[in-house]
Amino acid sequence: MSVQGTPQGHGKQAALLILLACSMFGFAFALVPLYDVFCELTGINGKTAGPVAVPDMPGPVVDRDVKIQFVAQVGKGLPWEFRPTVSQLSVRPGEMVTTTFYARNRAGTSVTGQAVPSVAPGVAALHLHKIECFCFERQVLAAGEAVEMPVTFYIDADLPEEISTLSLSYSMFRVPDVEPEQVASN
Amino acid sequence: MSAHADNIPSSRHPLVSYIARWLLTTNHKEIGTLYLCLSFTLFFIAGAFAMIMRLELFAPGIQFTQPDFYNQLVTMHGLIMVFGVVMPGFVGLANWMIPLMIGAPDMALPRLNNFSFWLLPFAFTLLLSTLFMEGGAPNFGWTFYAPLSTTYGPPSTDFFILGVHMMGISSVAGAINIIVTIINLRAPGMTLMRMPLFVWTWLITAFLLIMVMPVLAGVVTMMLTDRHFGTSFFEASGGGDPVLFQHIFWFFGHPEVYIMILPGFGIASQIIPTFARKRLFGYRSMVYATVLIAVLSFVVWGHHMFTTGMPLFGELFFMYATMLIAVPTAVKVFNWVATMWRGSMTFETPMLFAIAFVMMFTIGGLSGLMLALVPADFQYHDTFFVVAHFHYVLYPGAIFGTMAAVYYWLPKWTGHMYDERLGKIHFWVAAFAVNLTFFPMHFSGLAGMPRRIVDYSVQFADFNMMSSIGAGLLGLTQVLFLYIVVKTIRGGQKATAQVWEGAEGLEWTVPSPAPFHTFETPPVIAAEED
Ligand code: HEM
Ligand SMILES: [Cu+2]
């Protein structure tokens, strides 16, 4: 009674369409690495790259003032105080800059944190190169310990003209599995 | 042929066999009816949520709902209207009409069809039951952005995820069925380019569904693993990125909005020629425009994310791509107008709804264009202006389109004419009320009223009061619609096979009501000049 198609024909087409649906399900997951690769290439989501190899040093200093603002945030459940020691600097592209962030563990036990950096506007992330950063590794602070953690970076000369101010922000997150919970209630 | 209702043993208790009949049916007409009934029921439930919201917003201050409950209502209203009303409504129409329009005896995969439908009542019962759970229903909006739905989502979010999976499977299965039916079961002579536009738009919609519902399933799966299995797709502390959620969601989300309108385009393209007594102007360009809209819908998702800090290039790309969609959309609008031009038009209720569809959808398209302008969107984003935009494309668009279709085909389904006088009253009151409800939202949005908020500053009071009065009226008219439909099912003037003087197409060659089995032997389509 089927006209052009036979039930087997239906089955074959249905199978192809199911395959399409499954591959789109896979595609959703493929979007995750694709997104990361894309963002890394274009620097658009403000994630900064890892450390720069030392020979890869800045070129000559350019005579142009760029304002860089520092922001610090503490993630949920991290009993730390965390802030930049200076909130804003005026730098010139090509100039090597070191600044520090202050952190203090308010808990009665040692707690481990990991800082996740972000640069705004996103494209500026490609032009901000870190030589040294406390975000490259986990920070373990003993009970009550306070530290000043350095960041050394330069902005390269290719920073687009229209960007005159950028911000470098760190969110400090608790790294859960290292130390047992025992936050001093204060 | 597969088992159907009439060979269920009659020795059972009548109630048992009545339930078994609807539970086990594989007949496309019965399944179509089931979809439409479900859609209609959920329309009243989600509509009731909207009524509570508008009651709350009638005046500034917090009167009836706590903020968290208000957010739950917003979420449930959006989710159910999108997934429970508009989509199943269109699928119901597809089930009823596609086999009739292409001369097929039934859908190609009748059992799958039954399965697709019966997933839905369970999915929505699950979703609705979250309202009664500890911690309340999901409260993060129908767009369920991470981390609201991951880190901060209530426990019931997991039921929401399961519900979305069930709806997704149902939609994909339904879409597969529709595609296989259209490809394989067309009557001899029914070439692709002779298919009625409702069939064409549904074919394209079905492809969109198969392409994007799995992406939705993917994103809720990632949410689930982020919530419970220690992954951090969207969790910044673990190296993930909440903005990634928005990219994946809108990769689904924008094609989804076209899923909610393309069948409506098809309906308008059926109804307008009938009552203008002219052939559809520019049939081919209609088909191509629909395909183009569907393809472009995959590259514009970023227009929902202009304010997430995208680079300039991204903003420009998505802005121009979005504006490009207006071109094929305008082609359609011009074609409908050209079809009416110098036609001998009459204005029965389906035609009234179809014309209102064209006019008010266009208003929504224009506000969409305003939103597509990046600098403007920085101001409009997340305000009531966006709410006005999408309600113009969805209420007088998708919903009026569905209502037009119901009035148009109801005589074919029931064998009775609906009450034309009541139908006209329904239309005019609804058309007035829909504008009273949603037009002022443009102004409150432009003035800066944020969306999804329980309370607002007094400067927005007048616009909100108008919207609330409109909404109440709009709610009441739909009760009238229910009355009209029930009345037509129960009786009324007998409908002829052709029903409408100017109607053309295979569905009008079968008697009214359409018998349980149609086109067991395929009709032959006379080759006509194209
Ligand atoms: C010419 C066609 C259209 C254009 C240019 C357009 C443009 C846009 C833009 C730019 C936004 C984002 C606004 C913002 O959040 O700031 C938006 C939101 C929206 N549009 Fe459209 N749109 C069009 C047609 C449609 C259609 C046909 C539908 C559905 C049937 C639709 C449904 C929606 C929805 C539901 C939202 C809001 C999503 C949310 O945030 O909850 N749009 N539209
Ligand atoms: Cu969109």
Side-chain angles (χ1 to χ4, degrees):
Chain A
M1 40 125 265
S2 330
V3 188
Q4 291 170 356
T6 57
Q8 298 93 294
H10 299 341
K12 213 169 131 211
Q13 281 178 13
L16 280 176
L17 292 168
I18 290 170
L19 198 69
L20 178 63
C22 292
S23 48
M24 287 310 290
F25 185 71
F27 178 71
F29 287 87
L31 279 173
V32 179
L34 277 177
Y35 173 80
D36 283 342
V37 169
F38 189 75
C39 289
E40 208 167 293
L41 288 178
T42 54
I44 56 182
N45 70 348
K47 283 188 189 167
T48 52
V52 177
V54 182
D56 194 15
M57 274 295 136
V61 176
V62 180
D63 196 22
R64 167 183 163 200
D65 277 333
V66 180
K67 220 182 267 172
I68 176 156
Q69 302 176 325
F70 303 103
V71 182
Q73 283 165 88
V74 183
K76 207 171 108 183
L78 183 73
W80 285 16
E81 206 176 302
F82 176 48
R83 59 184 154 77
T85 43
V86 279
S87 58
Q88 180 169 313
L89 283 176
S90 187
V91 304
R92 284 176 303 166
E95 185 181 31
M96 192 73 74
V97 187
T98 300
T99 184
T100 55
F101 279 68
Y102 171 85
R104 188 175 72 88
N105 181 3
R106 288 191 274 103
T109 54
S110 115
V111 174
T112 309
Q114 167 70 56
V116 177
S118 172
V119 174
V123 272
L126 281 182
H127 305 284
L128 188 136
H129 306 279
K130 288 185 212 140
I131 309 298
E132 193 199 327
C133 177
F134 58 91
C135 60
F136 293 161
E137 57 223 23
R138 294 175 171 185
Q139 301 293 324
V140 188
L141 296 194
E145 185 186 352
V147 285
E148 288 207 353
M149 306 175 294
V151 197
T152 305
F153 66 90
Y154 68 91
I155 292 169
D156 69 34
D158 300 331
L159 183 76
E161 281 298 322
E162 67 272 15
I163 300 178
S164 57
T165 306
L166 52 103
S167 69
L168 171 61
S169 101
Y170 288 98
S171 300
M172 186 67 84
F173 293 102
R174 183 176 194 143
V175 180
D177 51 1
V178 181
E179 290 292 327
E181 298 272 336
Q182 230 346 293
V183 182
S185 44
N186 41 6
Chain B
M1 206 165 167
S2 48
H4 40 70
D6 36 15
N7 48 26
I8 303 246
S10 54
S11 58
R12 301 217 203 124
H13 186 276
L15 186 67
V16 174
S17 53
Y18 181 80
I19 292 172
R21 166 176 166 212
W22 288 102
L23 211 57
L24 301 176
T25 180
T26 55
N27 178 280
H28 72 100
K29 301 185 183 83
E30 290 190 335
I31 293 179
T33 304
L34 285 172
Y35 267 111
L36 289 168
C37 291
L38 177 76
S39 163
F40 211 1
T41 311
L42 291 172
F43 184 49
F44 281 101
I45 295 175
F49 297 159
M51 293 297 108
I52 306 175
M53 277 148 52
R54 279 318 323 174
L55 199 64
E56 175 60 54
L57 296 180
F58 185 81
I62 295 181
Q63 278 85 223
F64 305 100
T65 57
Q66 286 309 304
D68 185 52
F69 182 60
Y70 182 87
N71 289 348
Q72 297 174 27
L73 288 176
V74 173
T75 308
M76 283 296 166
H77 168 76
L79 284 171
I80 295 179
M81 284 295 185
V82 168
F83 295 105
V85 178
V86 175
M87 291 169 66
F90 282 149
V91 179
L93 294 172
N95 262 292
W96 248 105
M97 300 318 298
I98 288 176
L100 286 180
M101 292 174 122
I102 62 174
D106 204 310
M107 296 296 277
L109 309 161
R111 279 176 233 214
L112 186 67
N113 206 6
N114 173 291
F115 172 71
S116 314
F117 172 77
W118 280 108
L119 273 176
L120 289 182
F122 294 98
F124 287 101
T125 310
L126 197 64
L127 196 59
L128 283 168
S129 69
T130 58
L131 277 166
F132 305 101
M133 288 179 188
E134 212 174 303
N139 55 0
F140 31 68
W142 83 280
T143 50
F144 54 98
Y145 279 9
L148 290 178
S149 58
T150 49
T151 317
Y152 303 102
S156 61
T157 307
D158 300 325
F159 292 92
F160 153 84
I161 292 173
L162 186 60
V164 169
H165 273 305
M166 290 163 75
M167 295 180 294
I169 293 171
S170 161
S171 298
V172 170
I176 289 176
N177 211 340
I178 287 169
I179 294 176
V180 178
T181 306
I182 297 175
I183 302 291
N184 280 348
L185 293 187
R186 276 171 290 127
M190 176 64 76
T191 57
L192 282 177
M193 285 318 254
R194 276 199 201 129
M195 292 195 314
L197 260 169
F198 180 69
V199 181
W200 253 117
T201 51
W202 242 116
L203 180 63
I204 295 159
T205 305
F207 271 107
L208 285 181
L209 279 167
I210 294 181
M211 305 274 290
V212 302
M213 289 310 280
V215 175
L216 175 70
V219 77
V220 294
T221 307
M222 292 179 209
M223 266 173 67
L224 187 75
T225 60
D226 266 14
R227 283 169 63 81
H228 298 296
F229 304 111
T231 59
S232 13
F233 288 106
F234 311 130
E235 179 64 48
S237 62
D241 189 341
V243 176
L244 172 66
F245 175 91
Q246 296 188 27
H247 281 287
I248 307 181
F249 179 83
W250 288 115
F251 184 86
F252 147 80
H254 189 82
E256 166 68 17
V257 307
Y258 281 97
I259 289 168
M260 293 192 284
I261 201 65
L262 292 185
F265 288 170
I267 291 163
S269 309
Q270 299 300 133
I271 293 177
I272 290 174
T274 299
F275 295 96
R277 294 167 181 76
K278 270 176 69 191
R279 296 189 71 180
L280 182 70
F281 184 88
Y283 173 90
R284 275 173 186 272
S285 65
M286 283 297 215
V287 173
Y288 298 144
T290 315
V291 175
L292 193 60
I293 290 174
V295 171
L296 284 177
S297 75
F298 283 100
V299 293
V300 300
W301 79 88
H303 65 216
H304 296 274
M305 301 173 58
F306 284 146
T307 57
T308 53
M310 245 188 235
L312 190 63
F313 171 78
E315 311 259 22
L316 288 173
F317 173 81
F318 286 120
M319 173 165 94
Y320 287 121
T322 303
M323 290 167 77
L324 202 59
I325 293 205
V327 177
T329 312
V331 167
K332 308 200 83 126
V333 173
F334 286 128
N335 281 345
W336 289 319
V337 174
T339 308
M340 289 188 267
W341 180 251
R342 302 223 163 133
S344 16
M345 289 207 280
T346 50
F347 298 94
E348 285 85 347
T349 311
M351 181 63 160
L352 290 173
F353 273 100
I355 294 174
F357 171 95
V358 174
M359 286 173 55
M360 290 189 247
F361 171 78
T362 307
I363 296 178
L366 287 175
S367 58
L369 276 176
M370 291 171 70
L371 289 166
L373 302 169
V374 175
D377 185 67
F378 270 57
Q379 166 145 1
Y380 305 157
H381 180 64
D382 267 345
T383 68
F384 258 76
F385 190 82
V386 178
V387 180
H389 158 64
F390 67 74
H391 281 90
Y392 262 89
V393 283
L394 286 170
Y395 209 128
I399 301 284
F400 272 23
T402 309
M403 286 174 177
V406 169
Y407 280 111
Y408 186 55
W409 285 311
L410 198 57
K412 179 57 61 191
W413 302 337
T414 62
H416 305 130
M417 294 306 285
Y418 60 87
D419 186 328
E420 189 62 58
R421 197 177 57 91
L422 287 182
K424 288 213 166 96
I425 294 174
H426 172 218
F427 169 76
W428 284 109
V429 181
F432 170 73
V434 98
N435 285 295
L436 183 59
T437 311
F438 298 116
F439 212 80
M441 290 182 185
H442 290 110
F443 302 121
S444 48
L446 288 178
M449 178 169 165
R451 64 188 280 207
R452 291 175 175 157
I453 198 150
V454 65
D455 187 11
Y456 52 87
S457 142
V458 283
Q459 62 188 312
F460 308 122
D462 293 348
F463 289 134
N464 274 283
M465 189 177 288
M466 284 188 231
S467 287
S468 287
I469 294 171
L473 189 60
L474 194 54
L476 282 180
T477 56
Q478 305 319 343
V479 180
L480 176 63
F481 182 46
L482 177 66
Y483 172 77
I484 296 171
V485 172
V486 172
K487 189 172 161 215
T488 314
I489 294 171
R490 304 181 78 184
Q493 189 199 328
K494 287 270 167 289
T496 60
Q498 200 196 1
V499 183
W500 310 108
E501 187 193 60
E504 280 172 25
L506 286 178
E507 79 262 40
W508 308 111
T509 62
V510 304
S512 305
F516 195 72
H517 296 298
T518 37
F519 299 128
E520 303 248 68
T521 47
V524 178
I525 287 89
E528 41 177 335
E529 18 55 76
D530 275 310

mmCIF file of all heavy atoms in Angstrom, chain A residues 71-86:
data_model
loop_
_atom_site.group_PDB
_atom_site.id
_atom_site.type_symbol
_atom_site.label_atom_id
_atom_site.label_comp_id
_atom_site.label_asym_id
_atom_site.label_seq_id
_atom_site.Cartn_x
_atom_site.Cartn_y
_atom_site.Cartn_z
ATOM 1 N N VAL A 71 41.703 43.665 39.227
ATOM 2 C CA VAL A 71 40.470 43.307 39.916
ATOM 3 C C VAL A 71 40.692 41.944 40.557
ATOM 4 O O VAL A 71 41.329 41.078 39.954
ATOM 5 C CB VAL A 71 39.289 43.218 38.925
ATOM 6 C CG1 VAL A 71 37.995 42.890 39.647
ATOM 7 C CG2 VAL A 71 39.155 44.488 38.116
ATOM 8 N N ALA A 72 40.180 41.762 41.763
ATOM 9 C CA ALA A 72 40.290 40.448 42.393
ATOM 10 C C ALA A 72 38.933 40.040 42.943
ATOM 11 O O ALA A 72 38.186 40.873 43.447
ATOM 12 C CB ALA A 72 41.318 40.486 43.517
ATOM 13 N N GLN A 73 38.615 38.775 42.779
ATOM 14 C CA GLN A 73 37.358 38.270 43.329
ATOM 15 C C GLN A 73 37.615 36.966 44.057
ATOM 16 O O GLN A 73 38.484 36.200 43.655
ATOM 17 C CB GLN A 73 36.384 37.960 42.200
ATOM 18 C CG GLN A 73 35.737 39.180 41.626
ATOM 19 C CD GLN A 73 35.094 38.856 40.305
ATOM 20 O OE1 GLN A 73 33.970 38.463 40.263
ATOM 21 N NE2 GLN A 73 35.821 39.001 39.222
ATOM 22 N N VAL A 74 36.831 36.743 45.078
ATOM 23 C CA VAL A 74 36.977 35.499 45.831
ATOM 24 C C VAL A 74 35.802 34.598 45.494
ATOM 25 O O VAL A 74 34.655 35.021 45.570
ATOM 26 C CB VAL A 74 37.025 35.767 47.343
ATOM 27 C CG1 VAL A 74 37.252 34.469 48.091
ATOM 28 C CG2 VAL A 74 38.115 36.769 47.657
ATOM 29 N N GLY A 75 36.083 33.385 45.083
ATOM 30 C CA GLY A 75 35.022 32.442 44.738
ATOM 31 C C GLY A 75 34.285 31.945 45.967
ATOM 32 O O GLY A 75 34.735 32.105 47.104
ATOM 33 N N LYS A 76 33.126 31.331 45.687
ATOM 34 C CA LYS A 76 32.270 30.840 46.761
ATOM 35 C C LYS A 76 33.032 29.851 47.659
ATOM 36 O O LYS A 76 33.732 28.985 47.164
ATOM 37 C CB LYS A 76 31.072 30.120 46.118
ATOM 38 C CG LYS A 76 29.830 30.125 46.973
ATOM 39 C CD LYS A 76 28.662 29.605 46.179
ATOM 40 C CE LYS A 76 28.263 28.221 46.645
ATOM 41 N NZ LYS A 76 27.182 27.644 45.880
ATOM 42 N N GLY A 77 32.899 30.034 48.957
ATOM 43 C CA GLY A 77 33.441 29.047 49.890
ATOM 44 C C GLY A 77 34.936 29.142 50.134
ATOM 45 O O GLY A 77 35.518 28.246 50.742
ATOM 46 N N LEU A 78 35.579 30.202 49.675
ATOM 47 C CA LEU A 78 37.014 30.346 49.929
ATOM 48 C C LEU A 78 37.194 31.391 51.030
ATOM 49 O O LEU A 78 36.896 32.558 50.834
ATOM 50 C CB LEU A 78 37.727 30.782 48.651
ATOM 51 C CG LEU A 78 39.247 30.902 48.773
ATOM 52 C CD1 LEU A 78 39.886 29.533 48.846
ATOM 53 C CD2 LEU A 78 39.829 31.688 47.611
ATOM 54 N N PRO A 79 37.713 31.008 52.183
ATOM 55 C CA PRO A 79 37.758 31.937 53.322
ATOM 56 C C PRO A 79 38.987 32.835 53.256
ATOM 57 O O PRO A 79 39.770 32.895 54.195
ATOM 58 C CB PRO A 79 37.800 30.990 54.522
ATOM 59 C CG PRO A 79 38.486 29.764 54.003
ATOM 60 C CD PRO A 79 38.190 29.666 52.538
ATOM 61 N N TRP A 80 39.162 33.484 52.141
ATOM 62 C CA TRP A 80 40.346 34.310 51.940
ATOM 63 C C TRP A 80 39.961 35.758 51.763
ATOM 64 O O TRP A 80 38.889 36.091 51.282
ATOM 65 C CB TRP A 80 41.115 33.885 50.680
ATOM 66 C CG TRP A 80 41.909 32.631 50.806
ATOM 67 C CD1 TRP A 80 41.790 31.679 51.778
ATOM 68 C CD2 TRP A 80 42.924 32.184 49.907
ATOM 69 N NE1 TRP A 80 42.673 30.666 51.552
ATOM 70 C CE2 TRP A 80 43.395 30.942 50.408
ATOM 71 C CE3 TRP A 80 43.502 32.696 48.754
ATOM 72 C CZ2 TRP A 80 44.399 30.227 49.777
ATOM 73 C CZ3 TRP A 80 44.496 31.998 48.112
ATOM 74 C CH2 TRP A 80 44.953 30.761 48.626
ATOM 75 N N GLU A 81 40.952 36.586 52.094
ATOM 76 C CA GLU A 81 40.896 37.970 51.688
ATOM 77 C C GLU A 81 41.792 38.024 50.456
ATOM 78 O O GLU A 81 42.863 37.427 50.458
ATOM 79 C CB GLU A 81 41.507 38.789 52.817
ATOM 80 C CG GLU A 81 41.068 40.197 52.942
ATOM 81 C CD GLU A 81 41.734 40.778 54.176
ATOM 82 O OE1 GLU A 81 41.531 40.223 55.288
ATOM 83 O OE2 GLU A 81 42.492 41.734 54.013
ATOM 84 N N PHE A 82 41.407 38.746 49.448
ATOM 85 C CA PHE A 82 42.188 38.721 48.217
ATOM 86 C C PHE A 82 41.962 40.030 47.491
ATOM 87 O O PHE A 82 40.823 40.380 47.176
ATOM 88 C CB PHE A 82 41.728 37.523 47.371
ATOM 89 C CG PHE A 82 42.387 37.419 46.013
ATOM 90 C CD1 PHE A 82 43.770 37.536 45.873
ATOM 91 C CD2 PHE A 82 41.614 37.204 44.873
ATOM 92 C CE1 PHE A 82 44.359 37.432 44.620
ATOM 93 C CE2 PHE A 82 42.205 37.090 43.627
ATOM 94 C CZ PHE A 82 43.579 37.206 43.496
ATOM 95 N N ARG A 83 43.026 40.805 47.288
ATOM 96 C CA ARG A 83 42.859 42.081 46.577
ATOM 97 C C ARG A 83 44.166 42.505 45.936
ATOM 98 O O ARG A 83 45.245 42.068 46.369
ATOM 99 C CB ARG A 83 42.359 43.159 47.536
ATOM 100 C CG ARG A 83 43.269 43.403 48.710
ATOM 101 C CD ARG A 83 42.682 44.423 49.683
ATOM 102 N NE ARG A 83 43.186 44.212 51.030
ATOM 103 C CZ ARG A 83 44.401 44.579 51.431
ATOM 104 N NH1 ARG A 83 45.229 45.164 50.602
ATOM 105 N NH2 ARG A 83 44.796 44.333 52.677
ATOM 106 N N PRO A 84 44.107 43.355 44.944
ATOM 107 C CA PRO A 84 45.347 43.876 44.356
ATOM 108 C C PRO A 84 45.968 44.884 45.317
ATOM 109 O O PRO A 84 45.241 45.590 46.016
ATOM 110 C CB PRO A 84 44.881 44.569 43.079
ATOM 111 C CG PRO A 84 43.439 44.862 43.286
ATOM 112 C CD PRO A 84 42.916 43.839 44.237
ATOM 113 N N THR A 85 47.280 44.960 45.350
ATOM 114 C CA THR A 85 47.900 45.951 46.234
ATOM 115 C C THR A 85 47.832 47.346 45.618
ATOM 116 O O THR A 85 47.720 48.328 46.332
ATOM 117 C CB THR A 85 49.357 45.577 46.559
ATOM 118 O OG1 THR A 85 49.981 45.137 45.359
ATOM 119 C CG2 THR A 85 49.411 44.469 47.575
ATOM 120 N N VAL A 86 47.921 47.426 44.307
ATOM 121 C CA VAL A 86 47.589 48.695 43.647
ATOM 122 C C VAL A 86 46.436 48.411 42.705
ATOM 123 O O VAL A 86 46.379 47.343 42.097
ATOM 124 C CB VAL A 86 48.762 49.279 42.817
ATOM 125 C CG1 VAL A 86 49.740 50.012 43.681
ATOM 126 C CG2 VAL A 86 49.426 48.199 42.003
#
